[in-house]
Amino acid sequence: MDRFDLVKESFERKEVPAETPPGKPSEYFGERVFDRLKMPRYLDEDTFRSLLSCIEGGKPLDRKTADAVARGMKVWALEHGVTHVTHWFQPLTEGTAEKHDSLIDYDGKGSVIETFDGSMLAQQEPDASSFPSGGLRATFEARGYTAWDPTSPVFILDDTLCIPTVFISYTGEALDYKTPLKKALKAVNDAAVPVCRLFDPSVSKVYSYLGWEQEYFLVDESLYAARTDLMITGRTLFGHNSSKNQQLDDHYFGAIPSRVAAFMRDLEIAGHRLGIPLKTRHNEVAPNQFELAPIYGETNLANDQNQLVMNLMAKIARKHNFVVLLHEKPFEGVNGSGKHNNWSLGTDTGVQLLAPGKDARGNLQFITFFVNVLAAVQKHNALLKASIASATNAHRLGANEAPPAIVSAFLGQTMTQVLRKLLEVPSDTPIEIAGKKGKSVGLVEIPEIFVDNTDRNRTSPFAFTGNRFEFRAVGSCANCAGAMTTLNAAMADQLIGFKADVDKELAKGKDTAVAIMDVLKPIIRSVIDVVCFDGNGYSEEWKQEAARRGLDVETNVPRIFCEFTKPAAVEMFLRTGVFTQKELEARNEVKWEIYIKKVQIESRVMVRMALNHIIPAALEYKSRLLQEVSLARGVFGSTDGCATEMFILEKIGKYVEEVRIKAYAMKEARKAANAIEDDYQRALAYHEIAESLSALRRPIDKLEELVDNRLWPLPKYRELLFIS
């Protein structure tokens, strides 16, 4: 089947109707989750209370309680047709992992029964040596453990009971994303509560909240199968721009194609059944690019739900003859995909700490946390960039649709003015912050619009949006925990230092509000003209200005990873208890290894496709043109009428030779890089190879414009991006 048959098949593909919802979302929401609403039906009162104490108070779960919880879960699971159980965890592969065990066991009478007890619930032992560990586990040291995270509810997928867990080595080091995330959330709670009690002594817990926005592309599965680069690397390594792509801005927020809407509908139903509050769906800027987002939630749970949604997307898309692309830059020349992380903090008393208060005291509390966020971002701007850096996200950052590879904070006019004003007034001056203001459209029938006290800046990687900060630089396929662990740890460390400084001022007999402002003012002076930037982050002038300000402007991904093991970062993670130095060093080894392998795979695919797909197609067309020229010479005695053929032949010859030279040069560069023993130095060598991929791509994209459309072996952008 050639490319044209595949394109025809994709256009003729019959739409798969969306699943019929079993009722209103509120009626089936969470039906496949063992949540707090179900626990009282399956657990006795003492067990239920003990489990809540574990979830809410962090108290350990004893074996007796674990067995009782398991008995209740088993009854619920069997009612839903469950036959297997798995510990669902998040290794350093940026995906999820699971090993399924049947519930059956011998009954002692020659048959089997379904069994599930506290030991099966609380702990399993997957092979730790087969997952990335950065040397923490050798091949002959296979033991590792998964342990139940009671704060993330158990759920059912198909016939399997899935238990969210942490994953640690035999020697206790974290081998996953969840373990350090939970430590960072504990650190930010422990640091934030004492600061909150300066304003309200009744505060006993501070929560970190996350609202993720997942961007993705959909392509027809038949065309996907015809693109080796898409199948193996997740992105198109070749492809000339379509004449029409996103330049008319007509796809953004446009009518959702019916086939895509059916997919979205099924995804939402599946998500709602699993207790995931999917809220928003819409077309994104690029053709065939879309976005979904849930209602925000507690960070650990929200991150688990994002991992689960990415798995659901891949599975449900196939039902609708789509393939989901989560690569940050699957198509050159159109927008890439990110995963904006909307982050905030809130108390158990219902106060949103990054939202302006209702009075002067509430505003002072807001300013306290707001300014400390800016200080943490300034102090650790390079580390925050390292937390979202990857071989794939490097293609997106700095392009005209994504934040630059410089971490700065957008405040908006209102908050910038507030901070500058605070530097001018006495420390005991009550703080007033303008809220939303009404603005008339000028038409009687249109109601008054309420305008936020801050605009939005799409070029900022860390933007304040009214009651939260939006970390916009996170990549589409990334695990949110990487960014959230670093951000919450940095914030915790900043708050610890801030509280110590306030205590020193209080010891001098100052009023609490005055003491707080006296500590905040030097921080404001430090951040306001350094990390705060409300201008165009895409401009070359900003890159130069950022460097002058002392912000990190590095773009070499392997070098960026080194931020994790610099003394300041190590000390911060040690103080907050999030990582040990050994874990940080091991994770850098993993990051370098993954970077190397991803670039290596892309380079291999590119060279092989260039030699096996592109050059043969170009030479076949060249052969046909030469036959035309030969026939003309035989009939007319000259090639005077073959100027077009001769022109194309010359161009093809030039570009084919360029492809050949660059492809073999890339092979040699790989050989040289593979001979380097040190992982970091090898990663640096592969960074140079990554930089050379576009050089090999250019002549191939030129050939795509020249070679007969019927001979070109790969589906083109105009076919991939306009199927839905």
Side-chain angles (χ1 to χ4, degrees):
M1 183 179 289
D2 64 18
R3 173 167 64 87
F4 295 98
D5 291 327
L6 294 171
V7 173
K8 181 180 178 183
E9 177 187 321
S10 68
F11 273 110
E12 294 177 347
R13 181 93 67 186
K14 290 185 179 180
E15 183 178 324
V16 179
E19 181 179 332
T20 302
K24 296 183 294 185
S26 58
E27 295 173 344
Y28 60 84
F29 186 84
E31 68 179 16
R32 300 182 74 79
V33 181
F34 193 71
D35 54 24
R36 298 188 191 195
L37 293 177
K38 298 182 186 66
M39 288 175 186
R41 292 166 47 196
Y42 295 92
L43 306 178
D44 62 71
E45 185 174 345
D46 288 343
T47 300
F48 179 55
R49 291 182 183 279
S50 295
L51 183 55
L52 285 187
S53 295
C54 175
I55 294 171
E56 296 176 352
K59 295 182 179 179
L61 203 64
D62 59 68
R63 178 57 187 269
K64 179 182 177 182
T65 303
D67 282 337
V69 172
R71 283 195 297 271
M73 279 186 186
K74 174 187 166 185
V75 173
W76 172 73
L78 292 177
E79 290 175 357
H80 287 79
V82 165
T83 59
H84 288 71
V85 62
T86 185
H87 275 201
W88 184 82
F89 59 102
Q90 301 168 34
L92 300 179
T93 58
E94 292 191 345
T96 58
E98 51 198 64
K99 174 176 72 76
H100 295 205
D101 289 320
S102 170
L103 293 178
I104 65 168
D105 200 355
Y106 284 119
D107 66 354
K109 302 175 183 178
S111 187
V112 295
I113 57 172
E114 287 77 18
T115 63
F116 183 61
D117 59 20
S119 63
M120 296 174 69
L121 169 64
Q123 183 176 308
Q124 277 189 357
E125 186 189 334
D127 183 350
S129 68
S130 297
F131 291 101
S133 71
L136 292 176
R137 295 273 81 191
T139 302
F140 63 90
E141 296 173 325
R143 199 177 295 278
Y145 299 102
T146 52
W148 177 35
D149 172 15
T151 63
S152 189
V154 170
F155 58 91
I156 295 172
L157 276 181
D158 299 324
D159 63 355
T160 303
L161 185 70
C162 300
I163 303 168
T165 64
V166 299
F167 180 37
I168 61 173
S169 74
Y170 179 73
T171 48
E173 292 90 3
L175 298 174
D176 65 343
Y177 281 98
K178 180 185 274 283
T179 302
L181 175 62
K182 289 182 67 65
K183 290 180 178 179
L185 298 180
K186 179 182 183 302
V188 82
N189 168 72
D190 292 347
V193 167
V195 177
C196 288
R197 287 178 177 167
L198 294 171
F199 304 92
D200 180 0
S202 68
V203 172
S204 60
K205 194 169 183 64
V206 169
Y207 299 94
S208 168
Y209 292 105
L210 168 64
W212 45 264
E213 304 170 26
Q214 180 72 60
E215 295 175 344
Y216 61 96
F217 281 83
L218 290 174
V219 296
D220 189 275
E221 64 178 351
S222 59
L223 300 180
Y224 171 84
R227 294 279 316 211
T228 304
D229 50 355
L230 265 183
M231 290 180 64
I232 297 179
T233 72
R235 74 179 182 112
T236 54
L237 299 173
F238 316 116
H240 199 282
N241 284 345
S242 171
S243 300
K244 176 186 182 296
N245 46 57
Q246 67 186 48
Q247 63 265 50
L248 296 178
D249 299 320
D250 54 345
H251 190 258
Y252 191 47
F253 280 21
I256 300 172
S258 58
R259 187 174 155 206
V260 175
F263 156 73
M264 290 177 167
R265 179 74 168 174
D266 282 357
L267 179 60
E268 286 178 353
I269 292 170
H272 291 161
R273 280 177 159 160
L274 288 163
I276 305 171
L278 297 177
K279 176 79 170 176
T280 301
R281 62 187 186 196
H282 64 81
N283 289 4
E284 256 300 333
V285 175
N288 277 16
Q289 187 187 30
F290 308 94
E291 181 180 300
L292 74 146
I295 302 170
Y296 75 93
E298 187 274 326
T299 297
N300 179 47
L301 177 58
N303 185 64
D304 282 358
Q305 290 176 341
N306 179 246
Q307 292 294 299
L308 183 52
V309 162
M310 289 195 288
N311 292 341
L312 289 174
M313 290 169 72
K315 180 179 178 181
I316 294 172
R318 290 288 188 167
K319 171 185 171 184
H320 293 270
N321 303 309
F322 284 124
V323 173
V324 169
L325 302 180
L326 292 175
H327 193 287
E328 283 81 3
K329 194 73 171 179
F331 300 102
E332 191 72 21
V334 298
N335 279 19
S337 296
K339 178 152 49 194
H340 305 165
N341 280 206
N342 293 278
W343 171 80
S344 62
L345 298 171
T347 70
D348 57 344
T349 59
V351 175
Q352 288 298 315
L353 296 173
L354 294 177
K358 297 178 181 179
D359 53 27
R361 190 174 184 81
N363 282 333
L364 178 58
Q365 180 172 253
F366 159 63
I367 288 294
T368 296
F369 280 89
F370 182 82
V371 170
N372 276 287
V373 171
L374 299 178
V377 171
Q378 176 169 310
K379 187 181 300 181
H380 299 289
N381 77 97
L383 184 62
L384 286 168
K385 183 166 66 177
S387 75
I388 55 86
S390 69
T392 54
N393 206 19
H395 296 292
R396 167 180 166 262
L397 293 182
N400 282 349
E401 80 285 351
I406 302 167
V407 176
S408 63
F410 167 81
L411 307 188
Q413 184 178 13
T414 298
M415 289 310 304
T416 300
Q417 290 176 348
V418 167
L419 294 188
R420 293 197 183 281
K421 186 69 174 178
L422 289 175
L423 295 176
E424 301 171 358
V425 299
S427 294
D428 59 354
T429 305
I431 301 173
E432 295 182 4
I433 300 173
K436 292 187 177 184
K437 299 178 180 179
K439 180 175 287 188
S440 173
V441 181
L443 299 172
V444 174
E445 65 271 23
I446 303 297
E448 189 175 42
I449 294 173
F450 285 91
V451 180
D452 286 284
N453 60 15
T454 177
D455 200 351
R456 292 199 176 199
N457 186 322
R458 292 300 182 188
T459 72
S460 175
F462 199 84
F464 180 63
T465 56
N467 60 0
R468 64 194 182 278
F469 281 92
E470 185 179 13
F471 198 1
R472 304 186 71 249
V474 183
S476 175
C477 68
N479 189 316
C480 298
M484 289 295 100
T485 297
T486 301
L487 178 56
N488 282 286
M491 184 61 177
D493 192 56
Q494 173 62 30
L495 289 175
I496 291 169
F498 171 79
K499 179 60 166 58
D501 290 341
V502 170
D503 287 343
K504 291 176 184 176
E505 297 302 311
L506 291 173
K508 298 175 184 177
K510 292 183 180 179
D511 176 76
T512 301
V514 173
I516 290 171
M517 279 308 308
D518 283 349
V519 175
L520 285 176
K521 283 184 176 182
I523 302 176
I524 295 172
R525 290 190 187 94
S526 172
V527 302
I528 192 68
D529 292 318
V530 178
V531 76
C532 302
F533 177 67
D534 289 358
N536 179 11
Y538 296 156
S539 69
E540 287 298 319
E541 291 80 8
W542 166 235
K543 295 177 185 178
Q544 298 168 14
E545 171 64 20
R548 284 195 294 270
R549 292 185 182 193
L551 298 179
D552 187 87
V553 296
E554 180 63 69
T555 58
N556 183 308
V557 174
R559 287 201 185 104
I560 291 171
F561 290 151
C562 293
E563 293 297 329
F564 279 103
T565 51
K566 288 186 176 178
V570 173
E571 290 167 9
M572 183 273 287
F573 283 123
L574 289 175
R575 277 195 300 269
T576 54
V578 174
F579 286 117
T580 66
Q581 183 163 350
K582 187 176 180 181
E583 286 173 328
L584 289 168
E585 291 169 351
R587 281 169 191 255
N588 264 17
E589 294 291 330
V590 171
K591 289 176 183 291
W592 290 326
E593 181 182 6
I594 290 175
Y595 180 87
I596 290 166
K597 289 179 177 178
K598 286 193 173 182
V599 177
Q600 184 183 70
I601 290 168
E602 286 195 350
S603 174
R604 285 175 174 172
V605 170
M606 199 169 201
V607 168
R608 289 171 184 173
M609 289 183 71
L611 299 179
N612 298 333
H613 292 69
I614 306 305
I615 289 180
L619 291 180
E620 182 176 352
Y621 184 47
K622 182 179 180 181
S623 176
R624 293 188 184 186
L625 290 175
L626 286 170
Q627 290 176 26
E628 290 291 326
V629 172
S630 179
L631 285 171
R633 181 183 290 112
V635 173
F636 301 109
S638 73
T639 59
D640 291 346
C642 299
T644 299
E645 290 91 332
M646 298 299 290
F647 175 83
I648 296 174
L649 280 167
E650 182 182 351
K651 290 288 186 182
I652 289 176
K654 171 188 172 184
Y655 291 133
V656 166
E657 181 66 2
E658 188 177 349
V659 171
R660 181 189 68 83
I661 291 171
K662 290 180 176 177
Y664 280 100
M666 188 174 289
K667 286 182 71 173
E668 292 303 313
R670 275 206 318 271
K671 288 181 183 178
N674 292 339
I676 300 172
E677 293 186 5
D678 180 77
D679 283 345
Y680 174 56
Q681 294 300 324
R682 187 160 65 251
L684 290 177
Y686 265 99
H687 173 74
E688 297 303 316
I689 294 173
E691 293 288 290
S692 71
L693 294 178
S694 58
L696 176 53
R697 177 182 186 136
R698 279 194 294 271
I700 293 174
D701 289 353
K702 291 291 185 181
L703 285 170
E704 183 183 315
E705 288 191 289
L706 291 170
V707 172
D708 188 332
N709 190 54
R710 293 166 295 183
L711 297 178
W712 195 253
L714 306 174
K716 297 183 176 182
Y717 273 24
R718 65 172 181 261
E719 297 156 354
L720 289 164
L721 289 171
F722 296 96
I723 296 301
S724 300

